[in-house]
Amino acid sequence: MLSGTPTLDAVEIFLPDRTTTVEERAEAFGLSPAQVHLFRSIHGLDQLRYDPELSLYDLVLPPARKVLAGVDPGAVRYVVYPHAVPHTGPSTVDPVQEMLTMLGLEHATAFALTQQNCAGTVSAIDVAGRLLQADGDPEAKALVLTGEKIFTRDLQIIFNSCVIGEAAGACLLSWNGPGDPVRSFAVRTFGEYAAGVEMTAEQHRVAGEQRPGVMAELVREAVESAGCTFDDIDIVIPTHPNRTFWGGIVQELGWPPDKLYLENIPRYSHCLTADLMVNYVTLRDEGRLVPGRTYLFLATGIGSTFTAMVFTATTRTEGR
């Protein structure tokens, strides 16, 4: 096995051109004015990207092609596709294998991760890194893909919590490569809440009461494993349930309000597994991922799964 650390060598995203608003999505689903007020004025949602004419491949493949530009396809040994939507295509189609063919990566070992829902992206990066370490070839690379089409109402409006938007992201990893070194990974899963959207009101209440403590424990483990403290973290890069969700966490744990990056919530709403990559690329393109400074991915998935990962930014050319 190789010594060292996995690195995030390239991250790219794709956002559909078509923009819609909370009000337009609410009208399509017959939501009440009170629900619209909740989403916009309380949860902080505004716009989102949504294009029903785009296929899954139209969504996911553009960022993958960007991170693979100039890369020897033969070096890409592993492709991991985390997704929160249980079925990303018809039962007769394996989307991951279809995408391998379209990307010229038929030789790669590929699989999906689904059980951690929106928290699965961080786990996918960890799994990809472990595969590279065990592979033993320092030239080997792994590709993590995110992005899902939202086919049904139940997938587009989750409780009175969020309106789902569309986005996709791709991350190319290597071992001891030129990109951001991953310094730690931590995960917590509570199987008693596996019912997710079908949990009882009491289960939702209890899970909500436990959440801040779980988050605190998870973050503490991640930063300690990385050899730093929470004060050393420049920005926490989270998933996007809504502002209310994170506001409660920040208040209960006493975090500085500006520690958590929430600026993309009104721009894109919640884009399932793609949130973290969308936030990463936004921060990178705004010059806010400062070389040498430390950052924390923090993700939560319905069904009470939580993941965290510490990485250090490096100096790179635009997009790589």
Side-chain angles (χ1 to χ4, degrees):
M1 294 178 66
L2 298 172
S3 61
T5 182
T7 52
L8 312 178
D9 290 349
V11 181
E12 292 292 351
I13 61 171
F14 174 77
L15 294 157
D17 290 333
R18 185 177 296 182
T19 298
T20 185
T21 66
V22 169
E23 286 79 7
E24 289 168 339
R25 300 307 296 144
E27 182 178 357
F29 291 108
L31 300 187
S32 68
Q35 287 173 300
V36 174
H37 173 77
L38 174 66
F39 284 132
R40 176 174 289 282
S41 301
I42 298 176
H43 289 337
L45 310 184
D46 181 10
Q47 298 182 340
L48 57 143
R49 303 296 178 91
Y50 172 65
D51 189 344
E53 295 182 6
L54 293 180
S55 72
L56 175 67
Y57 307 122
D58 293 331
L59 189 70
V60 175
L61 293 181
R65 292 189 173 110
K66 284 185 179 181
V67 300
L68 292 172
V71 173
D72 175 11
V76 181
R77 304 282 177 80
Y78 308 99
V79 177
V80 188
Y81 177 40
H83 54 85
V85 176
H87 304 289
T88 57
S91 61
T92 55
V93 175
D94 185 340
V96 180
Q97 296 302 320
E98 295 277 346
M99 287 188 274
L100 287 187
T101 300
M102 295 175 184
L103 293 170
L105 302 176
E106 296 94 334
H107 60 279
T109 298
F111 55 91
L113 294 179
T114 63
Q115 296 303 309
Q116 295 181 330
N117 296 311
C118 299
T121 301
V122 182
S123 291
I125 293 172
D126 177 69
V127 169
R130 291 174 186 270
L131 288 170
L132 291 172
Q133 183 181 26
D135 185 280
D137 182 354
E139 301 302 317
K141 300 184 185 299
L143 178 65
V144 174
L145 302 174
T146 65
E148 301 154 73
K149 291 297 292 182
I150 44 179
F151 301 108
T152 69
R153 184 192 189 285
D154 289 344
L155 296 176
Q156 296 182 44
I157 308 288
I158 299 181
F159 307 127
N160 283 321
S161 174
C162 57
V163 182
I164 303 300
E166 291 182 336
C171 176
L172 187 70
L173 295 95
S174 63
W175 194 264
N176 293 330
D180 305 339
V182 174
R183 297 173 56 182
S184 70
F185 168 71
V187 60
R188 296 286 186 280
T189 299
F190 297 86
E192 60 266 39
Y193 304 120
V197 296
E198 297 179 356
M199 288 194 301
T200 66
E202 177 63 13
Q203 286 177 311
H204 279 293
R205 184 189 66 79
V206 175
E209 290 177 351
Q210 293 176 346
R211 192 175 296 124
V214 172
M215 288 282 197
E217 180 184 286
L218 182 77
V219 170
R220 184 164 52 248
E221 177 184 337
V223 297
E224 288 179 356
S225 296
C228 62
T229 69
F230 187 66
D231 289 340
D232 296 320
I233 301 297
D234 224 34
I235 301 173
V236 176
I237 305 172
T239 47
H240 283 167
N242 58 55
R243 282 189 178 274
T244 306
F245 176 93
W246 286 115
I249 298 292
V250 167
Q251 184 175 14
E252 187 145 351
L253 297 182
W255 292 354
D258 59 353
K259 191 89 159 181
L260 203 65
Y261 181 74
L262 302 177
E263 294 171 29
N264 275 337
I265 289 179
R267 297 169 180 162
Y268 308 123
S269 191
H270 181 27
C271 300
L272 302 174
T273 54
D275 279 350
L276 295 178
M277 293 190 191
V278 170
N279 285 340
Y280 177 101
V281 169
T282 303
L283 288 166
R284 181 198 70 199
D285 292 352
E286 292 178 353
R288 296 167 66 180
L289 293 182
V290 181
R293 294 187 183 175
T294 305
Y295 301 86
L296 174 73
F297 284 137
L298 183 59
T300 177
I302 197 166
S304 288
T305 292
F306 308 89
T307 53
M309 177 172 282
V310 174
F311 68 92
T312 299
T314 57
T315 302
R316 284 174 287 176
T317 58
E318 181 82 6
R320 293 193 61 82

